Amino acid sequence: MENFVQILGARGSIPVSGPAYARYGGASTCFLICLGGQYILVDAGTGMLRLPEQVMEAPALSLLVTHPHLDHLQGLTMCRYLMKAGARLDVYGATRGGMGVEAQLRRVFSPPLWPVGVTGFPAQIRFFPIAGGFSIGSVRVEVMEGVHPGGVSLFRLSAGGKSAVIATDCTLTEDLLPKLEIFARDCDLLLCDGQYSEAEFPSRSSFGHSTWTAAARLGLDCGAKRTLVVHHDPNHTDEALDAAADELLQRNPRCGFAVEGERVPL
Ligand SMILES: [Zn+2]
Ligand SMILES: [Zn+2]
């Protein structure tokens, strides 16, 4: 199997729809990583509704949850993969707000908030609490804590000399940046939160996100071969992101805004 990362959803905070979002897409955060001969999903936003057919056919999938905010979980509620009897989803996530990953999902998937509980799907769901690095088959997953309300896990996935770093829902603070530069050093692909412009950021600095210029700079400083800005603000139309794309390229010639559906070879 070819190594790649596919952007199934790049929108942040809430999914959006309509012609103004046709190019970059409206589905919320979900990334598909094919590495070391297996499929690993990072986050289960509404992009999870569009799993490619070859992924649907896999007997087992892994899902890494960065944090349990709804824009990162909502796709599970209608995920076709979970409708498959005999399929298995292994969910990895950290304790947040005193709740383990299983308790987090049980809260979202429970009547009257949602009619089907986590044990109500034909597919089996297994839960794996994480507190540090771990392995999934031949894929090594390193974890570092980011800066976000309630906390967030940043992931580095590596296998066979290839690596992808996912740093969504994170403010790139002065304290965090030196550690994150080491964590993401020389990765093949960096997916980094860049929800806001520099003009928007001061009034939203406590929301747990970052600017696209800071994301581009991090990609340059850590030596990422490719950097994609993710968690697009729901107010940022295709026109707005296209207008900012030139600024990104000037700061980092290997950086762009993630486009829903795009597949990046590793
Ligand atoms: Zn989010
Ligand atoms: Zn969040």
Side-chain angles (χ1 to χ4, degrees):
M1 269 155 62
E2 175 202 3
N3 295 321
F4 65 84
V5 173
Q6 188 167 3
I7 308 295
L8 299 180
R11 195 60 55 174
S13 305
I14 194 166
V16 289
S17 62
Y21 305 99
R23 192 166 118 68
Y24 292 93
S28 70
T29 307
C30 182
F31 309 123
L32 169 66
I33 291 116
C34 181
L35 189 61
Q38 53 188 319
Y39 295 117
I40 299 174
L41 293 160
V42 174
D43 283 344
T46 60
M48 200 183 190
L49 270 67
R50 298 250 179 84
L51 292 178
E53 279 313 309
Q54 71 268 32
V55 178
M56 287 295 297
E57 286 159 18
L61 292 181
S62 299
L63 167 65
L64 313 187
V65 178
T66 61
H67 67 308
H69 286 164
L70 287 179
D71 52 324
H72 300 256
L73 289 184
Q74 206 180 5
L76 276 171
T77 60
M78 288 297 285
C79 176
R80 286 188 304 139
Y81 189 78
L82 294 178
M83 311 301 175
K84 282 180 34 153
R88 192 185 80 226
L89 182 69
D90 290 342
V91 182
Y92 297 79
T95 296
R96 301 284 172 202
M99 296 170 77
V101 64
E102 180 170 359
Q104 294 160 23
L105 265 67
R106 283 189 185 281
R107 181 182 279 191
V108 176
F109 291 82
S110 62
L113 303 182
W114 192 250
V116 187
V118 276
T119 53
F121 293 103
Q124 181 193 9
I125 304 183
R126 303 195 304 184
F127 294 95
F128 297 88
I130 59 170
F134 58 98
S135 295
I136 304 173
S138 63
V139 178
R140 182 65 192 165
V141 183
E142 302 297 343
V143 187
M144 108 171 233
E145 186 67 11
V147 176
H148 194 63
V152 66
S153 303
L154 315 181
F155 295 116
R156 180 178 181 125
L157 287 77
S158 311
K162 299 290 179 185
S163 58
V165 172
I166 291 90
T168 189
D169 292 65
C170 183
T171 305
L172 302 179
T173 62
E174 281 182 22
D175 278 354
L176 186 81
L177 267 172
K179 290 176 248 171
L180 188 49
E181 273 176 38
I182 295 168
F183 185 76
R185 175 67 55 204
D186 297 330
C187 62
D188 292 281
L189 176 65
L190 168 66
L191 302 183
C192 187
D193 186 317
Q195 181 158 355
Y196 302 125
S197 66
E198 285 192 9
E200 291 167 329
F201 186 73
S203 62
R204 298 161 172 84
S205 61
S206 64
F207 291 4
H209 300 287
S210 194
T211 63
W212 55 64
T213 46
R217 160 67 59 178
L218 171 63
L220 205 58
D221 290 347
C222 76
K225 294 189 181 65
R226 178 106 180 104
T227 301
L228 291 179
V229 174
V230 296
H231 213 270
H232 308 323
D233 190 89
N235 293 309
H236 291 166
T237 60
D238 290 348
E239 199 179 353
L241 294 176
D242 278 342
D246 284 346
E247 186 188 354
L248 277 189
L249 283 176
Q250 280 167 20
R251 289 173 185 260
N252 179 345
R254 298 187 303 259
C255 182
F257 290 103
V259 174
E260 185 178 313
E262 90 174 283
R263 188 178 273 206
V264 182
L266 291 179

